[in-house]
Amino acid sequence: MDEYTSTVRVWELSCPRLLDEVGRARRWTRDILHDSPCADDAALIVTELGANAVTHTTGPAFRVTITRTPEAVMLTVTDTGATTTHPRITHPHQDATHGRGLAIVTVLAAALEIHHDGHGHTVTARLPASAPQPAAREAQPC
């Protein structure tokens, strides 16, 4: 029977491109990962990536995918809209009110991938399935 049991689990949520939907995606992420030590970091990442999808694209929707394996949790946010900008890490002035989202994600995630296909963007963040040691997190550059 073990041959039919997978240790990989995948969930997907489609959301209209509305700011209120970012909160729904965050709560959904916490519900799915309630027993994971990375649930809070995952919820923050989904919030940042979802807000980017709503704010910086023109498409009607965005999609959140959570892939959970014994080793890692992958969080993928895909927008369906065209835009003249692409997700990128910026270093805004200290008084700026925007522009830090992807930088925050890179501090929390073990890896970050950004893809653009001409019809939208896909951003994937990978978190280790186990909680990082506090000293390791403090040593990461901001």
PDB file of all heavy atoms in Angstrom, residues 69-85:
ATOM      1  N   THR A  69       6.836  18.904   1.211  1.00  0.00           N
ATOM      2  CA  THR A  69       7.553  17.636   1.213  1.00  0.00           C
ATOM      3  C   THR A  69       8.149  17.466   2.613  1.00  0.00           C
ATOM      4  O   THR A  69       8.151  18.408   3.404  1.00  0.00           O
ATOM      5  CB  THR A  69       8.682  17.619   0.164  1.00  0.00           C
ATOM      6  OG1 THR A  69       9.725  18.499   0.584  1.00  0.00           O
ATOM      7  CG2 THR A  69       8.178  18.022  -1.221  1.00  0.00           C
ATOM      8  N   PRO A  70       8.706  16.309   2.906  1.00  0.00           N
ATOM      9  CA  PRO A  70       9.351  16.160   4.217  1.00  0.00           C
ATOM     10  C   PRO A  70      10.540  17.115   4.410  1.00  0.00           C
ATOM     11  O   PRO A  70      10.866  17.483   5.525  1.00  0.00           O
ATOM     12  CB  PRO A  70       9.828  14.714   4.213  1.00  0.00           C
ATOM     13  CG  PRO A  70       8.918  14.010   3.266  1.00  0.00           C
ATOM     14  CD  PRO A  70       8.611  15.023   2.198  1.00  0.00           C
ATOM     15  N   GLU A  71      11.139  17.564   3.313  1.00  0.00           N
ATOM     16  CA  GLU A  71      12.321  18.418   3.399  1.00  0.00           C
ATOM     17  C   GLU A  71      12.021  19.912   3.325  1.00  0.00           C
ATOM     18  O   GLU A  71      12.794  20.721   3.844  1.00  0.00           O
ATOM     19  CB  GLU A  71      13.312  18.093   2.267  1.00  0.00           C
ATOM     20  CG  GLU A  71      13.855  16.691   2.283  1.00  0.00           C
ATOM     21  CD  GLU A  71      12.888  15.680   1.663  1.00  0.00           C
ATOM     22  OE1 GLU A  71      12.065  16.072   0.812  1.00  0.00           O
ATOM     23  OE2 GLU A  71      12.951  14.511   2.067  1.00  0.00           O
ATOM     24  N   ALA A  72      10.950  20.297   2.625  1.00  0.00           N
ATOM     25  CA  ALA A  72      10.746  21.721   2.361  1.00  0.00           C
ATOM     26  C   ALA A  72       9.280  22.051   2.134  1.00  0.00           C
ATOM     27  O   ALA A  72       8.450  21.173   1.874  1.00  0.00           O
ATOM     28  CB  ALA A  72      11.550  22.143   1.127  1.00  0.00           C
ATOM     29  N   VAL A  73       9.004  23.359   2.229  1.00  0.00           N
ATOM     30  CA  VAL A  73       7.706  23.920   1.861  1.00  0.00           C
ATOM     31  C   VAL A  73       7.982  24.938   0.769  1.00  0.00           C
ATOM     32  O   VAL A  73       8.808  25.836   0.949  1.00  0.00           O
ATOM     33  CB  VAL A  73       7.021  24.600   3.065  1.00  0.00           C
ATOM     34  CG1 VAL A  73       5.774  25.341   2.628  1.00  0.00           C
ATOM     35  CG2 VAL A  73       6.694  23.575   4.144  1.00  0.00           C
ATOM     36  N   MET A  74       7.343  24.762  -0.390  1.00  0.00           N
ATOM     37  CA  MET A  74       7.480  25.711  -1.486  1.00  0.00           C
ATOM     38  C   MET A  74       6.197  26.514  -1.587  1.00  0.00           C
ATOM     39  O   MET A  74       5.095  25.944  -1.605  1.00  0.00           O
ATOM     40  CB  MET A  74       7.745  25.004  -2.824  1.00  0.00           C
ATOM     41  CG  MET A  74       9.208  24.670  -3.059  1.00  0.00           C
ATOM     42  SD  MET A  74       9.804  23.303  -2.080  1.00  0.00           S
ATOM     43  CE  MET A  74       8.971  21.938  -2.756  1.00  0.00           C
ATOM     44  N   LEU A  75       6.351  27.832  -1.655  1.00  0.00           N
ATOM     45  CA  LEU A  75       5.230  28.756  -1.776  1.00  0.00           C
ATOM     46  C   LEU A  75       5.357  29.445  -3.117  1.00  0.00           C
ATOM     47  O   LEU A  75       6.369  30.101  -3.386  1.00  0.00           O
ATOM     48  CB  LEU A  75       5.291  29.791  -0.657  1.00  0.00           C
ATOM     49  CG  LEU A  75       5.400  29.208   0.743  1.00  0.00           C
ATOM     50  CD1 LEU A  75       5.928  30.229   1.714  1.00  0.00           C
ATOM     51  CD2 LEU A  75       4.061  28.654   1.179  1.00  0.00           C
ATOM     52  N   THR A  76       4.363  29.289  -3.966  1.00  0.00           N
ATOM     53  CA  THR A  76       4.409  29.868  -5.301  1.00  0.00           C
ATOM     54  C   THR A  76       3.206  30.775  -5.489  1.00  0.00           C
ATOM     55  O   THR A  76       2.071  30.372  -5.227  1.00  0.00           O
ATOM     56  CB  THR A  76       4.401  28.759  -6.373  1.00  0.00           C
ATOM     57  OG1 THR A  76       5.519  27.900  -6.148  1.00  0.00           O
ATOM     58  CG2 THR A  76       4.478  29.339  -7.770  1.00  0.00           C
ATOM     59  N   VAL A  77       3.469  31.996  -5.940  1.00  0.00           N
ATOM     60  CA  VAL A  77       2.396  32.930  -6.262  1.00  0.00           C
ATOM     61  C   VAL A  77       2.557  33.303  -7.728  1.00  0.00           C
ATOM     62  O   VAL A  77       3.629  33.745  -8.156  1.00  0.00           O
ATOM     63  CB  VAL A  77       2.426  34.188  -5.359  1.00  0.00           C
ATOM     64  CG1 VAL A  77       1.377  35.185  -5.816  1.00  0.00           C
ATOM     65  CG2 VAL A  77       2.203  33.787  -3.910  1.00  0.00           C
ATOM     66  N   THR A  78       1.495  33.109  -8.489  1.00  0.00           N
ATOM     67  CA  THR A  78       1.485  33.409  -9.913  1.00  0.00           C
ATOM     68  C   THR A  78       0.410  34.438 -10.180  1.00  0.00           C
ATOM     69  O   THR A  78      -0.739  34.262  -9.757  1.00  0.00           O
ATOM     70  CB  THR A  78       1.198  32.134 -10.728  1.00  0.00           C
ATOM     71  OG1 THR A  78       2.193  31.156 -10.417  1.00  0.00           O
ATOM     72  CG2 THR A  78       1.204  32.423 -12.219  1.00  0.00           C
ATOM     73  N   ASP A  79       0.783  35.526 -10.868  1.00  0.00           N
ATOM     74  CA  ASP A  79      -0.224  36.506 -11.261  1.00  0.00           C
ATOM     75  C   ASP A  79      -0.565  36.275 -12.725  1.00  0.00           C
ATOM     76  O   ASP A  79       0.183  35.655 -13.461  1.00  0.00           O
ATOM     77  CB  ASP A  79       0.244  37.943 -11.004  1.00  0.00           C
ATOM     78  CG  ASP A  79       1.447  38.340 -11.825  1.00  0.00           C
ATOM     79  OD1 ASP A  79       1.351  38.350 -13.064  1.00  0.00           O
ATOM     80  OD2 ASP A  79       2.497  38.655 -11.232  1.00  0.00           O
ATOM     81  N   THR A  80      -1.712  36.737 -13.126  1.00  0.00           N
ATOM     82  CA  THR A  80      -2.186  36.500 -14.490  1.00  0.00           C
ATOM     83  C   THR A  80      -2.213  37.767 -15.315  1.00  0.00           C
ATOM     84  O   THR A  80      -2.818  37.793 -16.374  1.00  0.00           O
ATOM     85  CB  THR A  80      -3.601  35.900 -14.464  1.00  0.00           C
ATOM     86  OG1 THR A  80      -4.464  36.791 -13.762  1.00  0.00           O
ATOM     87  CG2 THR A  80      -3.615  34.543 -13.797  1.00  0.00           C
ATOM     88  N   GLY A  81      -1.560  38.794 -14.833  1.00  0.00           N
ATOM     89  CA  GLY A  81      -1.678  40.075 -15.513  1.00  0.00           C
ATOM     90  C   GLY A  81      -0.415  40.542 -16.181  1.00  0.00           C
ATOM     91  O   GLY A  81       0.686  40.166 -15.820  1.00  0.00           O
ATOM     92  N   ALA A  82      -0.619  41.354 -17.157  1.00  0.00           N
ATOM     93  CA  ALA A  82       0.496  41.986 -17.837  1.00  0.00           C
ATOM     94  C   ALA A  82       0.910  43.226 -17.049  1.00  0.00           C
ATOM     95  O   ALA A  82       0.108  43.846 -16.361  1.00  0.00           O
ATOM     96  CB  ALA A  82       0.092  42.387 -19.247  1.00  0.00           C
ATOM     97  N   THR A  83       2.162  43.547 -17.146  1.00  0.00           N
ATOM     98  CA  THR A  83       2.694  44.734 -16.505  1.00  0.00           C
ATOM     99  C   THR A  83       4.003  45.090 -17.190  1.00  0.00           C
ATOM    100  O   THR A  83       4.614  44.247 -17.836  1.00  0.00           O
ATOM    101  CB  THR A  83       2.913  44.507 -14.993  1.00  0.00           C
ATOM    102  OG1 THR A  83       3.437  45.697 -14.410  1.00  0.00           O
ATOM    103  CG2 THR A  83       3.869  43.372 -14.726  1.00  0.00           C
ATOM    104  N   THR A  84       4.407  46.303 -17.052  1.00  0.00           N
ATOM    105  CA  THR A  84       5.690  46.714 -17.643  1.00  0.00           C
ATOM    106  C   THR A  84       6.832  46.532 -16.649  1.00  0.00           C
ATOM    107  O   THR A  84       7.981  46.729 -17.002  1.00  0.00           O
ATOM    108  CB  THR A  84       5.631  48.190 -18.079  1.00  0.00           C
ATOM    109  OG1 THR A  84       5.293  48.985 -16.939  1.00  0.00           O
ATOM    110  CG2 THR A  84       4.599  48.378 -19.178  1.00  0.00           C
ATOM    111  N   THR A  85       6.507  46.166 -15.409  1.00  0.00           N
ATOM    112  CA  THR A  85       7.552  45.936 -14.411  1.00  0.00           C
ATOM    113  C   THR A  85       7.655  44.453 -14.115  1.00  0.00           C
ATOM    114  O   THR A  85       6.746  43.679 -14.411  1.00  0.00           O
ATOM    115  CB  THR A  85       7.248  46.692 -13.108  1.00  0.00           C
ATOM    116  OG1 THR A  85       6.028  46.171 -12.555  1.00  0.00           O
ATOM    117  CG2 THR A  85       7.112  48.185 -13.350  1.00  0.00           C
TER     118      THR A  85
END
